[in-house]
Amino acid sequence: MKVNFLNVKLSEISSNPANPRKNFEGKAFDELMESIRQKGVIEPIIVRPLKKGKTSYEVVAGERRFRAAMKIEENQKSRNEVSIPAILRELSDEEAFDFMIIENLQREDLTGFEEAEGFRQYYLKKGKGAIEELAGRIGKSAGYIRRKIAALSLPKYILKAWEKGELQFSHLEELRRVADGEELKEAFEFATREGYVRDGPVSKRSLREHINKRRSISLKNAPFDLEKEGCLKCPHNSQVQNELWEIGDTSGISCLDRKCYKKKMNNFLLSNWKKSKYYVRFKTNGFRFDENLSWGEYQGFYSYTKKPAEKCGKCDKFLTIIRMDGIVKLDRACLGEKSCFNAIGRQKEKKSKMEKEGPRVAW
């Protein structure tokens, strides 16, 4: 491989668009600019010659040094006259890509987002087997690389917060557990403290507990067959996620895709209501999920106040209210007209009073 040392004018150099490093601002970059302003570029950048394009050379390694020197000269309005020390290498597109990615990924000042972008670019360029190969070259585990690439599947607003340093990678691993878009946005707002009053950053543990409490559904009481429905191997099963993403204990098996679980639960109960444990116990004519109802939409039958009448057993508004995790919130409820419900109470009270007092005597 041919290597030459030379000084190259900044105007003759262009950036490599495939470079995963995107952060060229902030305290560290300002410090680099100040160092170059006082001492110049001490460590040469690495460039390769270009046969096509507006410039003669392309940066292979040393993008930040090139950008810092260029910005200094732009501020001084003399860019075309300034040169930078460089090592010239004759590299093919494939060799230049490998050199650039590996060189960048081995630097300690790379942000988590830039590292993930580098992993993804390498995987997309190399294809099957690339992750294991890259893991061996940079001294990181294949699982770590996969988790970093997987984080890039999150929405852009989350990745932007990560790129800015508002979120850590550990936060993104927790957010990946949330399937629904609205629920994900709410969890993101909790993680970044938007709309919340709190001192200090939200820890990974706090975010996990928040997601588990508000979004996860215990599979312990699921009435349907978990294996038959594919829940035991689903990526939104907390135990499966624990194995894939190493997120830690999630306090028992639970589902983190509420919409999917609700659909399975609804379809199963509609098809098997007369065989369900709820019908066997309460003899109601159907169910509603409590999260779909407000308090004023139903009236409850309680053993110590009011019991269903005989006609209730034939009414399609005589239902059981169930929580999403399968636990009964109200065993017998009326979703019909309040006048009908109230009339049941009056008839029972009148009958009970007559049984106690006996028939009225006409004096």
mmCIF file of all heavy atoms in Angstrom, residues 20-54:
data_model
loop_
_atom_site.group_PDB
_atom_site.id
_atom_site.type_symbol
_atom_site.label_atom_id
_atom_site.label_comp_id
_atom_site.label_asym_id
_atom_site.label_seq_id
_atom_site.Cartn_x
_atom_site.Cartn_y
_atom_site.Cartn_z
ATOM 1 N N PRO A 20 -19.599 8.226 9.987
ATOM 2 C CA PRO A 20 -20.647 8.213 11.013
ATOM 3 C C PRO A 20 -20.529 9.368 12.001
ATOM 4 O O PRO A 20 -21.486 9.688 12.700
ATOM 5 C CB PRO A 20 -20.427 6.875 11.724
ATOM 6 C CG PRO A 20 -18.972 6.584 11.529
ATOM 7 C CD PRO A 20 -18.641 7.126 10.161
ATOM 8 N N ARG A 21 -19.360 10.001 12.067
ATOM 9 C CA ARG A 21 -19.175 11.109 12.991
ATOM 10 C C ARG A 21 -19.920 12.332 12.469
ATOM 11 O O ARG A 21 -19.660 12.819 11.369
ATOM 12 C CB ARG A 21 -17.688 11.436 13.163
ATOM 13 C CG ARG A 21 -17.426 12.441 14.266
ATOM 14 C CD ARG A 21 -15.942 12.768 14.335
ATOM 15 N NE ARG A 21 -15.159 11.677 14.874
ATOM 16 C CZ ARG A 21 -15.002 11.471 16.169
ATOM 17 N NH1 ARG A 21 -15.597 12.251 17.052
ATOM 18 N NH2 ARG A 21 -14.269 10.468 16.587
ATOM 19 N N LYS A 22 -20.866 12.822 13.282
ATOM 20 C CA LYS A 22 -21.702 13.957 12.874
ATOM 21 C C LYS A 22 -21.584 15.158 13.816
ATOM 22 O O LYS A 22 -22.044 16.238 13.485
ATOM 23 C CB LYS A 22 -23.176 13.525 12.813
ATOM 24 C CG LYS A 22 -23.451 12.307 11.937
ATOM 25 C CD LYS A 22 -23.099 12.546 10.486
ATOM 26 C CE LYS A 22 -23.400 11.317 9.629
ATOM 27 N NZ LYS A 22 -22.984 11.494 8.216
ATOM 28 N N ASN A 23 -21.007 14.940 14.980
ATOM 29 C CA ASN A 23 -20.978 15.992 15.996
ATOM 30 C C ASN A 23 -19.720 16.850 15.852
ATOM 31 O O ASN A 23 -18.621 16.424 16.187
ATOM 32 C CB ASN A 23 -21.041 15.370 17.396
ATOM 33 C CG ASN A 23 -21.121 16.426 18.479
ATOM 34 O OD1 ASN A 23 -21.545 17.557 18.231
ATOM 35 N ND2 ASN A 23 -20.722 16.073 19.681
ATOM 36 N N PHE A 24 -19.885 18.054 15.326
ATOM 37 C CA PHE A 24 -18.776 18.972 15.144
ATOM 38 C C PHE A 24 -19.056 20.294 15.842
ATOM 39 O O PHE A 24 -18.902 21.382 15.276
ATOM 40 C CB PHE A 24 -18.504 19.193 13.654
ATOM 41 C CG PHE A 24 -18.178 17.921 12.926
ATOM 42 C CD1 PHE A 24 -19.093 17.351 12.063
ATOM 43 C CD2 PHE A 24 -16.964 17.283 13.125
ATOM 44 C CE1 PHE A 24 -18.801 16.174 11.393
ATOM 45 C CE2 PHE A 24 -16.667 16.099 12.460
ATOM 46 C CZ PHE A 24 -17.582 15.550 11.600
ATOM 47 N N GLU A 25 -19.484 20.183 17.076
ATOM 48 C CA GLU A 25 -19.724 21.354 17.904
ATOM 49 C C GLU A 25 -19.662 20.929 19.362
ATOM 50 O O GLU A 25 -19.547 19.744 19.672
ATOM 51 C CB GLU A 25 -21.088 21.972 17.590
ATOM 52 C CG GLU A 25 -22.248 21.012 17.742
ATOM 53 C CD GLU A 25 -23.577 21.632 17.337
ATOM 54 O OE1 GLU A 25 -23.565 22.600 16.559
ATOM 55 O OE2 GLU A 25 -24.608 21.147 17.819
ATOM 56 N N GLY A 26 -19.724 21.905 20.250
ATOM 57 C CA GLY A 26 -19.671 21.596 21.672
ATOM 58 C C GLY A 26 -18.304 21.910 22.273
ATOM 59 O O GLY A 26 -17.376 22.372 21.594
ATOM 60 N N LYS A 27 -18.188 21.658 23.553
ATOM 61 C CA LYS A 27 -16.991 22.009 24.310
ATOM 62 C C LYS A 27 -15.736 21.317 23.781
ATOM 63 O O LYS A 27 -14.682 21.942 23.595
ATOM 64 C CB LYS A 27 -17.191 21.658 25.783
ATOM 65 C CG LYS A 27 -16.026 22.058 26.664
ATOM 66 C CD LYS A 27 -16.312 21.702 28.123
ATOM 67 C CE LYS A 27 -15.108 22.073 29.005
ATOM 68 N NZ LYS A 27 -15.351 21.727 30.433
ATOM 69 N N ALA A 28 -15.825 20.012 23.530
ATOM 70 C CA ALA A 28 -14.664 19.254 23.065
ATOM 71 C C ALA A 28 -14.177 19.765 21.711
ATOM 72 O O ALA A 28 -12.969 19.881 21.465
ATOM 73 C CB ALA A 28 -14.996 17.767 22.981
ATOM 74 N N PHE A 29 -15.109 20.100 20.830
ATOM 75 C CA PHE A 29 -14.743 20.604 19.507
ATOM 76 C C PHE A 29 -14.132 21.994 19.615
ATOM 77 O O PHE A 29 -13.167 22.323 18.907
ATOM 78 C CB PHE A 29 -15.969 20.630 18.599
ATOM 79 C CG PHE A 29 -15.661 20.943 17.162
ATOM 80 C CD1 PHE A 29 -15.004 20.016 16.366
ATOM 81 C CD2 PHE A 29 -16.009 22.164 16.610
ATOM 82 C CE1 PHE A 29 -14.707 20.292 15.035
ATOM 83 C CE2 PHE A 29 -15.714 22.456 15.284
ATOM 84 C CZ PHE A 29 -15.067 21.519 14.499
ATOM 85 N N ASP A 30 -14.655 22.823 20.503
ATOM 86 C CA ASP A 30 -14.089 24.163 20.721
ATOM 87 C C ASP A 30 -12.658 24.059 21.256
ATOM 88 O O ASP A 30 -11.784 24.851 20.874
ATOM 89 C CB ASP A 30 -14.958 24.952 21.704
ATOM 90 C CG ASP A 30 -16.317 25.308 21.115
ATOM 91 O OD1 ASP A 30 -16.443 25.280 19.877
ATOM 92 O OD2 ASP A 30 -17.251 25.601 21.907
ATOM 93 N N GLU A 31 -12.436 23.090 22.149
ATOM 94 C CA GLU A 31 -11.082 22.886 22.686
ATOM 95 C C GLU A 31 -10.122 22.434 21.592
ATOM 96 O O GLU A 31 -8.945 22.844 21.573
ATOM 97 C CB GLU A 31 -11.121 21.862 23.816
ATOM 98 C CG GLU A 31 -11.818 22.366 25.078
ATOM 99 C CD GLU A 31 -11.968 21.290 26.128
ATOM 100 O OE1 GLU A 31 -11.684 20.108 25.810
ATOM 101 O OE2 GLU A 31 -12.373 21.604 27.271
ATOM 102 N N LEU A 32 -10.611 21.584 20.676
ATOM 103 C CA LEU A 32 -9.782 21.141 19.557
ATOM 104 C C LEU A 32 -9.435 22.326 18.660
ATOM 105 O O LEU A 32 -8.279 22.474 18.219
ATOM 106 C CB LEU A 32 -10.515 20.062 18.762
ATOM 107 C CG LEU A 32 -9.818 19.569 17.479
ATOM 108 C CD1 LEU A 32 -8.465 18.932 17.818
ATOM 109 C CD2 LEU A 32 -10.701 18.583 16.728
ATOM 110 N N MET A 33 -10.399 23.184 18.399
ATOM 111 C CA MET A 33 -10.147 24.373 17.576
ATOM 112 C C MET A 33 -9.100 25.278 18.218
ATOM 113 O O MET A 33 -8.199 25.789 17.532
ATOM 114 C CB MET A 33 -11.450 25.155 17.370
ATOM 115 C CG MET A 33 -12.413 24.527 16.382
ATOM 116 S SD MET A 33 -13.911 25.532 16.165
ATOM 117 C CE MET A 33 -13.210 27.088 15.612
ATOM 118 N N GLU A 34 -9.206 25.460 19.519
ATOM 119 C CA GLU A 34 -8.250 26.319 20.214
ATOM 120 C C GLU A 34 -6.844 25.730 20.158
ATOM 121 O O GLU A 34 -5.854 26.461 19.989
ATOM 122 C CB GLU A 34 -8.693 26.500 21.671
ATOM 123 C CG GLU A 34 -7.843 27.465 22.475
ATOM 124 C CD GLU A 34 -7.824 28.866 21.884
ATOM 125 O OE1 GLU A 34 -8.822 29.263 21.239
ATOM 126 O OE2 GLU A 34 -6.799 29.555 22.071
ATOM 127 N N SER A 35 -6.740 24.402 20.293
ATOM 128 C CA SER A 35 -5.442 23.740 20.214
ATOM 129 C C SER A 35 -4.829 23.923 18.821
ATOM 130 O O SER A 35 -3.632 24.208 18.690
ATOM 131 C CB SER A 35 -5.598 22.259 20.537
ATOM 132 O OG SER A 35 -4.381 21.576 20.342
ATOM 133 N N ILE A 36 -5.643 23.760 17.787
ATOM 134 C CA ILE A 36 -5.151 23.931 16.415
ATOM 135 C C ILE A 36 -4.791 25.384 16.156
ATOM 136 O O ILE A 36 -3.801 25.690 15.471
ATOM 137 C CB ILE A 36 -6.208 23.437 15.411
ATOM 138 C CG1 ILE A 36 -6.357 21.913 15.519
ATOM 139 C CG2 ILE A 36 -5.836 23.823 13.979
ATOM 140 C CD1 ILE A 36 -7.459 21.332 14.664
ATOM 141 N N ARG A 37 -5.572 26.292 16.704
ATOM 142 C CA ARG A 37 -5.301 27.725 16.526
ATOM 143 C C ARG A 37 -3.932 28.102 17.113
ATOM 144 O O ARG A 37 -3.202 28.934 16.550
ATOM 145 C CB ARG A 37 -6.405 28.549 17.181
ATOM 146 C CG ARG A 37 -6.314 30.031 16.867
ATOM 147 C CD ARG A 37 -7.442 30.803 17.539
ATOM 148 N NE ARG A 37 -8.720 30.578 16.854
ATOM 149 C CZ ARG A 37 -9.730 29.888 17.365
ATOM 150 N NH1 ARG A 37 -9.615 29.352 18.580
ATOM 151 N NH2 ARG A 37 -10.838 29.725 16.690
ATOM 152 N N GLN A 38 -3.570 27.473 18.234
ATOM 153 C CA GLN A 38 -2.313 27.802 18.904
ATOM 154 C C GLN A 38 -1.127 26.993 18.389
ATOM 155 O O GLN A 38 -0.031 27.524 18.225
ATOM 156 C CB GLN A 38 -2.461 27.564 20.412
ATOM 157 C CG GLN A 38 -3.433 28.511 21.103
ATOM 158 C CD GLN A 38 -3.511 28.265 22.598
ATOM 159 O OE1 GLN A 38 -2.698 27.536 23.171
ATOM 160 N NE2 GLN A 38 -4.495 28.872 23.243
ATOM 161 N N LYS A 39 -1.349 25.686 18.109
ATOM 162 C CA LYS A 39 -0.223 24.807 17.768
ATOM 163 C C LYS A 39 -0.280 24.245 16.354
ATOM 164 O O LYS A 39 0.681 23.624 15.897
ATOM 165 C CB LYS A 39 -0.169 23.636 18.755
ATOM 166 C CG LYS A 39 -0.087 24.069 20.220
ATOM 167 C CD LYS A 39 -0.170 22.858 21.144
ATOM 168 C CE LYS A 39 -0.177 23.276 22.610
ATOM 169 N NZ LYS A 39 -0.314 22.104 23.518
ATOM 170 N N GLY A 40 -1.429 24.422 15.688
ATOM 171 C CA GLY A 40 -1.604 23.811 14.389
ATOM 172 C C GLY A 40 -2.026 22.360 14.504
ATOM 173 O O GLY A 40 -2.174 21.825 15.610
ATOM 174 N N VAL A 41 -2.222 21.705 13.380
ATOM 175 C CA VAL A 41 -2.594 20.291 13.370
ATOM 176 C C VAL A 41 -1.327 19.459 13.544
ATOM 177 O O VAL A 41 -0.463 19.434 12.665
ATOM 178 C CB VAL A 41 -3.319 19.910 12.061
ATOM 179 C CG1 VAL A 41 -3.625 18.417 12.034
ATOM 180 C CG2 VAL A 41 -4.594 20.715 11.903
ATOM 181 N N ILE A 42 -1.216 18.798 14.704
ATOM 182 C CA ILE A 42 -0.010 18.035 15.031
ATOM 183 C C ILE A 42 -0.047 16.648 14.398
ATOM 184 O O ILE A 42 0.925 16.193 13.793
ATOM 185 C CB ILE A 42 0.157 17.925 16.559
ATOM 186 C CG1 ILE A 42 0.315 19.334 17.163
ATOM 187 C CG2 ILE A 42 1.347 17.045 16.906
ATOM 188 C CD1 ILE A 42 0.345 19.332 18.678
ATOM 189 N N GLU A 43 -1.189 15.968 14.536
ATOM 190 C CA GLU A 43 -1.331 14.618 13.977
ATOM 191 C C GLU A 43 -1.939 14.718 12.578
ATOM 192 O O GLU A 43 -3.035 15.248 12.406
ATOM 193 C CB GLU A 43 -2.232 13.766 14.866
ATOM 194 C CG GLU A 43 -2.393 12.344 14.382
ATOM 195 C CD GLU A 43 -3.366 11.533 15.232
ATOM 196 O OE1 GLU A 43 -3.833 12.061 16.267
ATOM 197 O OE2 GLU A 43 -3.672 10.392 14.855
ATOM 198 N N PRO A 44 -1.241 14.251 11.556
ATOM 199 C CA PRO A 44 -1.762 14.365 10.187
ATOM 200 C C PRO A 44 -3.080 13.618 10.015
ATOM 201 O O PRO A 44 -3.313 12.587 10.653
ATOM 202 C CB PRO A 44 -0.659 13.725 9.337
ATOM 203 C CG PRO A 44 0.561 13.737 10.186
ATOM 204 C CD PRO A 44 0.071 13.591 11.595
ATOM 205 N N ILE A 45 -3.938 14.135 9.164
ATOM 206 C CA ILE A 45 -5.141 13.413 8.785
ATOM 207 C C ILE A 45 -4.771 12.428 7.683
ATOM 208 O O ILE A 45 -3.666 12.487 7.125
ATOM 209 C CB ILE A 45 -6.253 14.362 8.295
ATOM 210 C CG1 ILE A 45 -5.845 15.046 6.983
ATOM 211 C CG2 ILE A 45 -6.596 15.385 9.370
ATOM 212 C CD1 ILE A 45 -6.966 15.837 6.329
ATOM 213 N N ILE A 46 -5.661 11.515 7.380
ATOM 214 C CA ILE A 46 -5.422 10.548 6.302
ATOM 215 C C ILE A 46 -6.410 10.828 5.179
ATOM 216 O O ILE A 46 -7.617 10.966 5.416
ATOM 217 C CB ILE A 46 -5.581 9.103 6.806
ATOM 218 C CG1 ILE A 46 -4.543 8.813 7.901
ATOM 219 C CG2 ILE A 46 -5.423 8.107 5.656
ATOM 220 C CD1 ILE A 46 -4.701 7.448 8.551
ATOM 221 N N VAL A 47 -5.890 10.979 3.974
ATOM 222 C CA VAL A 47 -6.736 11.267 2.815
ATOM 223 C C VAL A 47 -6.428 10.257 1.709
ATOM 224 O O VAL A 47 -5.401 9.576 1.730
ATOM 225 C CB VAL A 47 -6.510 12.703 2.288
ATOM 226 C CG1 VAL A 47 -6.884 13.724 3.349
ATOM 227 C CG2 VAL A 47 -5.055 12.899 1.847
ATOM 228 N N ARG A 48 -7.319 10.196 0.751
ATOM 229 C CA ARG A 48 -7.073 9.388 -0.442
ATOM 230 C C ARG A 48 -7.357 10.251 -1.672
ATOM 231 O O ARG A 48 -8.196 11.183 -1.618
ATOM 232 C CB ARG A 48 -7.951 8.137 -0.455
ATOM 233 C CG ARG A 48 -9.430 8.409 -0.620
ATOM 234 C CD ARG A 48 -10.181 7.121 -0.904
ATOM 235 N NE ARG A 48 -11.598 7.362 -1.100
ATOM 236 C CZ ARG A 48 -12.363 6.630 -1.910
ATOM 237 N NH1 ARG A 48 -11.841 5.635 -2.617
ATOM 238 N NH2 ARG A 48 -13.655 6.871 -2.026
ATOM 239 N N PRO A 49 -6.711 10.006 -2.780
ATOM 240 C CA PRO A 49 -6.945 10.816 -3.982
ATOM 241 C C PRO A 49 -8.297 10.487 -4.617
ATOM 242 O O PRO A 49 -8.770 9.351 -4.554
ATOM 243 C CB PRO A 49 -5.787 10.416 -4.897
ATOM 244 C CG PRO A 49 -5.413 9.037 -4.461
ATOM 245 C CD PRO A 49 -5.659 8.998 -2.985
ATOM 246 N N LEU A 50 -8.921 11.503 -5.180
ATOM 247 C CA LEU A 50 -10.195 11.328 -5.879
ATOM 248 C C LEU A 50 -9.997 11.541 -7.372
ATOM 249 O O LEU A 50 -9.322 12.480 -7.793
ATOM 250 C CB LEU A 50 -11.228 12.335 -5.354
ATOM 251 C CG LEU A 50 -11.745 12.136 -3.927
ATOM 252 C CD1 LEU A 50 -12.712 13.269 -3.567
ATOM 253 C CD2 LEU A 50 -12.436 10.798 -3.774
ATOM 254 N N LYS A 51 -10.573 10.653 -8.155
ATOM 255 C CA LYS A 51 -10.506 10.800 -9.608
ATOM 256 C C LYS A 51 -11.644 11.668 -10.127
ATOM 257 O O LYS A 51 -11.537 12.290 -11.174
ATOM 258 C CB LYS A 51 -10.550 9.421 -10.267
ATOM 259 C CG LYS A 51 -9.348 8.539 -9.915
ATOM 260 C CD LYS A 51 -9.453 7.190 -10.592
ATOM 261 C CE LYS A 51 -8.249 6.312 -10.224
ATOM 262 N NZ LYS A 51 -8.339 4.976 -10.864
ATOM 263 N N LYS A 52 -12.767 11.693 -9.356
ATOM 264 C CA LYS A 52 -13.913 12.505 -9.743
ATOM 265 C C LYS A 52 -14.314 13.406 -8.581
ATOM 266 O O LYS A 52 -14.049 13.097 -7.434
ATOM 267 C CB LYS A 52 -15.095 11.617 -10.136
ATOM 268 C CG LYS A 52 -14.836 10.726 -11.338
ATOM 269 C CD LYS A 52 -16.071 9.888 -11.650
ATOM 270 C CE LYS A 52 -15.818 8.973 -12.850
ATOM 271 N NZ LYS A 52 -17.011 8.141 -13.161
ATOM 272 N N GLY A 53 -14.940 14.516 -8.898
ATOM 273 C CA GLY A 53 -15.411 15.401 -7.849
ATOM 274 C C GLY A 53 -14.779 16.775 -7.948
ATOM 275 O O GLY A 53 -13.881 17.031 -8.768
ATOM 276 N N LYS A 54 -15.218 17.669 -7.074
ATOM 277 C CA LYS A 54 -14.741 19.049 -7.088
ATOM 278 C C LYS A 54 -13.393 19.219 -6.404
ATOM 279 O O LYS A 54 -12.719 20.225 -6.584
ATOM 280 C CB LYS A 54 -15.773 19.957 -6.423
ATOM 281 C CG LYS A 54 -17.111 20.002 -7.160
ATOM 282 C CD LYS A 54 -18.088 20.933 -6.445
ATOM 283 C CE LYS A 54 -19.417 20.977 -7.182
ATOM 284 N NZ LYS A 54 -20.389 21.875 -6.517
#
